[in-house]
Amino acid sequence: MKNKLLIYIQKFGILKTFNKALLKIISPIFYYQKDILFERNIDENIGKIKPKLDVIIRKATKKDGYLFEKAVSKDYKKDFLKRINNSDCFIAVYKGKLAHRIWATYKDFYVKDIKIIIHLKKNEAFIFDATTSTKFRGKEIHPAVIQYIVPYLKNRKIKKILATISWNNYPSLKGIYKVGFKPVKTMVYIILFNKLVLKKDFEKKLKLYFN
């Protein structure tokens, strides 16, 4: 346990380690989340996006487990190897390092943190768990990976892509907006003593502005 803590501090810093520990203590008692649901029709045109680094973007396989162990943790590698049996994972790799990861599923998806199910219709895909490693942020990698995913999903006969982004995750909001996703509604959740006690959707027209 002590060694895991030291490794996490070395990788992410004291402040992030403290915040993560505090959230782990508080979240079973009280947890609040506000997300924006986005959607994109698969046939909409997408502009050409070139990342600022020469990354290799591709669909991941089980052989890529070592990349997740190096970039995240052994526990995430185990989760990756289990999850890839039912979902697709797409990655951006730079000089042997995992720069970005994102997942896509085609079945109803259970969101553990907020204890809800994202229901998908036939020919819909839900993309989730998009993460860019810290030192690779601001390099246009996330929208470039989305650009790669779109034709792949189209070949799978997908008609619409859905995604949820936290309302205050400005970089991800900007990135997904850049590749043609449109906001549909805001969703608010409150978890109390590990139970969902409030789920509220606000479906009024949303307007997002980016520089």
Side-chain angles (χ1 to χ4, degrees):
M1 179 68 180
K2 186 177 179 181
N3 289 337
K4 280 188 176 181
L5 179 61
L6 289 174
I7 291 170
Y8 199 94
I9 290 173
Q10 288 173 352
K11 185 177 288 189
F12 300 106
I14 293 175
L15 183 59
K16 186 171 181 179
T17 302
F18 175 78
N19 288 339
K20 186 176 179 66
L22 187 63
L23 182 62
K24 193 167 185 178
I25 294 169
I26 294 174
S27 59
I29 302 170
F30 176 80
Y31 184 76
Y32 169 86
Q33 185 161 323
K34 182 164 73 172
D35 292 336
I36 299 175
L37 176 68
F38 286 84
E39 65 178 33
R40 185 190 194 282
N41 292 325
I42 202 77
D43 290 326
E44 291 179 10
N45 291 330
I46 186 169
K48 182 67 175 176
I49 298 169
K50 183 174 176 58
K52 296 177 183 178
L53 291 176
D54 190 20
V55 293
I56 297 171
I57 301 173
R58 58 181 174 82
K59 184 172 175 286
T61 69
K62 287 188 175 182
K63 292 181 180 179
D64 293 311
Y66 75 97
L67 290 171
F68 291 84
E69 182 174 345
K70 286 167 56 179
V72 190
S73 67
K74 287 185 178 179
D75 287 340
Y76 194 92
K77 176 187 175 182
K78 291 178 183 177
D79 186 48
F80 163 78
L81 292 174
K82 182 179 179 181
R83 189 189 285 177
I84 203 169
N85 290 321
N86 301 306
S87 304
D88 287 331
C89 182
F90 302 89
I91 57 176
V93 180
Y94 181 73
K95 294 184 177 180
K97 295 182 179 180
L98 183 65
H100 181 84
R101 68 177 186 266
I102 188 170
W103 292 83
T105 187
Y106 316 99
K107 300 178 181 178
D108 290 352
F109 181 75
Y110 178 67
V111 185
K112 185 177 179 181
D113 288 345
I114 52 179
K115 305 182 186 309
I116 67 158
I117 298 174
I118 302 291
H119 294 285
L120 298 179
K121 298 177 182 177
K122 185 179 179 181
N123 299 326
E124 287 184 343
F126 179 67
I127 57 174
F128 64 99
D129 198 10
T131 304
T132 303
S133 299
T134 305
K135 66 180 180 180
F136 294 107
R137 292 173 184 171
K139 308 293 185 185
E140 302 287 332
I141 296 174
H142 175 52
V145 175
I146 298 290
Q147 179 181 248
Y148 175 89
I149 291 174
V150 169
Y152 174 87
L153 296 181
K154 191 171 183 177
N155 286 337
R156 283 192 59 126
K157 310 300 181 185
I158 296 298
K159 301 296 184 184
K160 184 181 290 184
I161 313 171
L162 304 176
T164 57
I165 307 290
S166 179
W167 70 277
N168 59 355
N169 187 343
Y170 184 83
S172 291
L173 290 171
K174 187 176 180 179
I176 206 164
Y177 207 65
K178 186 176 290 186
V179 288
F181 281 80
K182 301 294 188 296
V184 177
K185 62 183 177 181
T186 302
M187 306 179 296
V188 174
Y189 313 96
I190 293 179
I191 308 293
L192 191 60
F193 293 104
N194 215 28
K195 291 185 178 181
L196 179 66
V197 296
L198 176 67
K199 178 182 181 294
K200 183 73 174 178
D201 293 347
F202 300 91
E203 300 190 21
K204 64 181 181 180
K205 191 171 180 62
L206 300 171
K207 291 184 179 180
L208 300 178
Y209 300 95
F210 300 109
N211 295 325

